[in-house]
Structures are given as C-alpha cells and as structure tokens.
Amino acid sequence: MNQLPPIAAIATPIGEGGIAVIRVSGKDAIHKVNDCFKGKDLMAVDSHTAHFGKIIQKGGRVVDEVVATVFKSPKSYTGEDTVEVSCHGGVLVTQAVLETVLALGVRGAEPGEFTQRAFLNGKLDLDQAEAVADLIHAKSIKAVDAAHQQLEGRLGKHIKEFRQQIVDATAMVELELDFIEEDVEFANKEQLRKLLSDLDEEIGRLLDTYETGRLVKDGVKTVFIGRPNAGKSTLLNTLVGSERAIVTEIAGTTRDTIDADWSYDGLLFRLIDTAGLRETEDIIEAEGVKRSQKAFEQADLVVYLKDLSLPFDADEREEIAGFQKRAADTPFLLVGTKLDLADHSQEERIQYDLKISAIEEQNIEQLKKIMKQRALESKDYDTSSLLVTSSRHRDALQKARENVRRAITALDQGMTGDFLSIDLRAALKDLGTITGEITNEDVLDSIFSRFCIGK
C-alpha cells in the first residue's frame, strides 16, 4: 500500500450531537495521534481496536475525553494507517481536537481525499468511489439502492467482463498481425464478428438504463404549469406538506420558479412551481413567464393545471393542445383543480387525467400514483436491475460502443487487422476510464471535488 503524508478532517457533520469523529490517515498517522493521546500506547495495540483516553495539547491541557479506534494498513478504508478519534459532539470541542492533531504536522484533508486514497490504493474502483458520493447525496430510497448496487461492484463487474471480451478479440487480431508474412490466420472472422456484435448489444442494454438511472439519482423534474391562480402553488404545498410557495387570490403572485424536493414511494420528484401563463406588461412577471417556458422545456414530467371553477375558453384549449404537442415524448398530465368549487353543469368536452382539490386533498393520493406511473412508464425499471446513473459512465459507454461498431464495420469491409486493433484498443481505453484502470488527474480532481471534507 502507498502511504502518503498524513491528513486529518472532521468526518461527521458540524454541529451539536452525541459524538463527532475526526479521521486521520496516512504515513505515521498512528504515531501522530499517539503523541497527543493519553491512554494506551496506540503504537503497540492491535488493528481494529478501540481505546479510551484523552487528547492533550502541548503544555498538558486536556482537550477532551475520547475513544481512538486504530486501523492498520492495509486493512483500513484508505489502505493506509488510520485512526478515528471519537470525541464529544460540539462545534468547539471537535474543532479543538482537530487543531491539536493538525498542530503535530498533519495536513487538513481536501474534499474526498480519503476516498481518493482508497481508490489509489486499490480498495475501490473509480465507479465504486463515485458511488460513495452518490450514497452520501442520495435523497430517495431508490437513489440509495442504485448507489449501493454500484458500491457493491456490479457495474465494475460488467465493465471488466466487457473489457475481457475486447482483450480476447484484440489478442486474436494482433496475433495474426505478428504472423502476417507467413499468411497464418488465427482469427475466425465469424467468431470474431459474433463476439463484437454480442458486446455491442450488451453495452446497448446497459446504456438503455441511463434515462431511468438519471431520474432515480437526480429526481424527476416535475413542472406545474397553467394559468394564474390555477392552484399550482397550493398543489406544491400540499405535496411537500409545508407552505413552500406563497398562496394568495391575487393572480400573478408567483413571479419566479419555485423548487421543492418531494419523495414518493422511494422516488424523488423535484417539483417546480411556475409563474402563471398569460400576456403581461409587468416586466418582472413577464420574466417569470419566460422562466416558466424554459422550465417546461427541461421537464421530465409536465403537469398542466386547469381551474375547474372557471369555464374553458378557446385560447386555453389551444394553449393546452400546444403544450401537449411541444411536450412530445415528455409525459404530460392534464389535471383539473379546485374540484370543490367546480361547476359540474358545464360541458367541458376535454379528457382530464384526474380532477383534484388540493385544499380538500381530494384525489391527491391518486395523483401521486399517476405522477410516479407516468414518470417511469416508458422506462424499463426493475428494482433489482443495474442502472447507469452517471453521465460520465454513459459517455464512456457510448464511446466504447462506437469504437466496437467501427471495428465491426472494418471487419465487414475486409480491412486489415491493424485497423481493427486501433478501434478495439480505443474501446478498451474508454471502458477503462469507468473503473479507473485508465484515468488522468483532471478526471480524479473533478470526481473527488464533489465529496464532503472528511470522506
């Protein structure tokens, strides 16, 4: 294991709590903590043992009573010597313990540096390291499940299988190149083509999961649109269970888009309340309408709300039809609101997906179910299936697939093995960037900067 200079950081959220943990990892990490620890000699204890003692500043002042847990290389999260110091959970005392350790020549850790060291020491593949961040930032149960699958190495297992298939194909091609003057044929062209075609299909199946994976990880961007006072803000408040948006009887109260996260049945919805759609000379409200249009264009699910207490007019019918057409493949719901105030004698001649009253909470549970159903209706989602959730992984898979397809084309056109070899090696490199077998410093910096300090 590669032991880098020691680093330290608070690994638990800053604030008041029962305990806080300061993590120290790297060369001489145990020795450094031992220098300010009064209790057992940490240099002499076994790995994976916890010891009660005190953290002492230079001069003998007691900072706090703590428990020091020792993890010796290579059996630690980072693969390095590591000590986790559990102290009382207060802002000042936690900071004092950290500063005592830093004063002994230990450097403060950068965001994600502990996990980066775990990757560099082979404790995690790069895709697993990214899953750690996804797990920390997950805001729904399904996002947690997807991150766990990746952390368990399921994606890495597929990628390694793909790479092995390419290695096998490359070996057949390049062995033949070594004996080109002897006119010896090692590669069975039909067998090679089938291997590459099967690989193309397997990568394709994995890529097909990305849209579902994106929704599971990032949430379903759900945009409420409609005319002023249609009940958009009231519905958002009802779903999230709090007064997130201001609600009044004055048309045009909402001037900007308002976002709120709401989780239903394990799936995260990013609800967006928009300004009411109408022509206006008010500069601020007009900008709000413009932003509403932009939110609509970026939506994963569109919910158009129609006030049932008001009669339809020709302009609104045309407006709804226009939004339905522009939504194209984006799921679109037409929901009637204010059912408690509706004039049921009116002939509407329009098919609603559902009619609700957010104030009376009529049909709200049915709406929740329909929203989830529509959001995932065109997605092949199975809770046990592996999902690609990262755009970085999707891009790498797409590039690998393109190179595999180029190799198939070259094979069909009877090109020489050196052309096939170039495409196959490029695909090998693309897949290697997912697990970190092939990477560069800029990619690592970008990935680990997403982490919190202490992880």
Side-chain angles (χ1 to χ4, degrees):
M1 291 291 164
N2 183 31
Q3 296 241 33
L4 296 171
I7 54 174
I10 300 168
T12 44
I14 302 297
E16 296 181 358
I19 62 170
V21 176
I22 291 88
R23 177 179 283 165
V24 188
S25 181
K27 185 179 180 182
D28 296 328
I30 300 173
H31 174 72
K32 295 290 186 183
V33 176
N34 197 49
D35 283 349
C36 63
F37 181 79
K38 185 176 181 180
K40 281 191 175 182
D41 180 2
L42 299 181
M43 298 295 293
V45 301
D46 293 332
S47 181
H48 292 69
T49 56
H51 308 278
F52 175 77
K54 298 176 181 179
I55 295 295
I56 310 292
Q57 287 182 339
K58 288 182 179 179
R61 177 177 173 272
V62 176
V63 179
D64 195 18
E65 293 183 335
V66 303
V67 174
T69 307
V70 176
F71 303 91
K72 294 186 177 180
S73 177
K75 295 182 178 181
S76 70
Y77 178 69
T78 62
E80 303 174 320
D81 287 340
T82 302
V83 182
E84 293 185 353
V85 180
S86 301
C87 65
H88 290 94
V91 176
L92 294 179
V93 67
T94 305
Q95 190 63 35
V97 172
L98 175 62
E99 289 175 356
T100 301
V101 174
L102 296 178
L104 297 171
V106 178
R107 175 174 62 80
E110 298 292 332
E113 193 167 3
F114 293 99
T115 304
Q116 186 171 8
R117 291 188 177 196
F119 162 67
L120 293 173
N121 278 325
K123 305 293 286 187
L124 297 169
D125 285 342
L126 190 56
D127 59 298
Q128 290 176 296
E130 290 173 279
V132 172
D134 291 344
L135 195 58
I136 292 170
H137 297 303
K139 293 187 177 181
S140 70
I141 295 300
K142 284 182 169 52
V144 169
D145 291 341
H148 269 305
Q149 286 184 342
Q150 193 169 313
L151 187 57
E152 289 169 356
R154 288 187 57 187
L155 176 61
K157 181 174 180 291
H158 278 74
I159 299 304
K160 286 170 184 174
E161 289 173 354
F162 293 163
R163 294 193 86 223
Q164 188 57 53
Q165 287 174 268
I166 295 175
V167 167
D168 292 343
T170 306
M172 282 193 284
V173 170
E174 295 190 353
L175 184 61
E176 190 170 294
L177 286 173
D178 289 340
F179 292 88
I180 193 168
E181 293 183 2
E182 284 80 1
D183 196 28
V184 178
E185 186 175 283
F186 290 94
N188 181 307
K189 296 299 187 292
E190 287 303 315
Q191 181 183 350
L192 182 57
R193 195 188 193 290
K194 185 177 186 310
L195 188 154
L196 294 177
S197 296
D198 289 346
L199 181 59
D200 175 32
E201 291 180 8
E202 289 169 19
I203 294 176
R205 280 194 289 270
L206 201 52
L207 277 169
D208 288 343
T209 69
Y210 172 71
E211 276 305 310
T212 304
R214 180 183 64 82
L215 295 183
V216 166
K217 177 184 174 183
D218 299 332
V220 181
K221 187 178 287 186
T222 305
V223 178
F224 296 150
I225 60 172
R227 294 197 165 182
N229 263 3
K232 300 182 293 296
S233 299
T234 302
L235 177 58
L236 182 142
N237 289 342
T238 299
L239 291 175
V240 301
S242 66
E243 298 298 314
R244 178 66 182 84
I246 298 174
V247 177
T248 74
E249 295 180 0
I250 302 172
T253 298
T254 302
R255 299 294 189 96
D256 197 358
T257 56
I258 297 173
D259 300 2
D261 287 350
W262 166 65
S263 186
Y264 174 70
D265 197 22
L267 185 64
L268 177 68
F269 288 80
R270 297 194 179 277
L271 305 179
I272 303 173
D273 178 20
T274 63
L277 303 170
R278 66 174 178 179
E279 296 291 333
T280 177
E281 295 182 1
D282 186 307
I283 296 175
I284 297 175
E285 187 178 358
E287 177 61 26
V289 173
K290 182 179 177 182
R291 294 186 182 189
S292 299
Q293 297 281 1
K294 184 177 180 180
F296 165 81
E297 293 167 2
Q298 298 174 342
D300 299 311
L301 174 66
V302 176
V303 182
Y304 188 101
L305 302 183
K306 165 68 179 84
D307 184 348
L308 295 173
S309 68
L310 299 176
F312 255 119
D313 59 49
D315 288 343
E316 190 167 18
R317 289 181 188 277
E318 186 177 334
E319 182 178 278
I320 292 172
F323 274 113
Q324 286 178 316
K325 183 177 180 180
R326 286 171 55 200
D329 294 333
T330 302
F332 185 97
L333 287 174
L334 177 58
V335 176
T337 61
K338 305 183 183 181
L339 181 60
D340 53 315
L341 303 177
D343 182 355
H344 299 288
S345 64
Q346 293 183 24
E347 186 178 358
E348 295 172 334
R349 295 181 182 176
I350 193 164
Q351 184 66 43
Y352 290 95
D353 290 285
L354 192 67
K355 296 180 181 180
I356 66 168
S357 169
I359 290 291
E360 300 292 333
E361 297 198 14
Q362 288 179 266
N363 296 332
I364 294 299
E365 282 303 314
Q366 291 96 313
L367 177 62
K368 293 176 182 178
K369 292 176 182 177
I370 291 174
M371 286 172 64
K372 181 188 175 186
Q373 178 187 347
R374 288 293 180 85
L376 296 177
E377 66 182 355
S378 61
K379 312 294 188 299
D380 185 15
Y381 180 65
D382 180 350
T383 54
S384 63
S385 63
L386 175 65
L387 298 176
V388 174
T389 60
S390 164
S391 60
R392 189 183 78 84
H393 299 165
R394 176 205 59 190
D395 293 346
L397 285 166
Q398 285 177 336
K399 289 177 182 177
R401 193 183 193 192
E402 288 168 6
N403 281 307
V404 168
R405 287 182 166 181
R406 272 196 283 268
I408 293 173
T409 300
L411 188 64
D412 290 343
Q413 293 177 348
M415 291 188 181
T416 57
D418 47 352
F419 286 99
L420 272 71
S421 180
I422 291 172
D423 294 328
L424 293 175
R425 285 187 174 276
L428 206 58
K429 181 179 178 181
D430 294 329
L431 294 174
T433 63
I434 296 176
T435 55
E437 292 170 81
I438 297 171
T439 189
N440 61 60
E441 194 169 325
D442 290 339
V443 171
L444 294 182
D445 288 344
S446 174
I447 290 171
F448 291 106
S449 65
R450 296 176 49 228
F451 283 66
C452 53
I453 293 175
K455 195 61 181 176

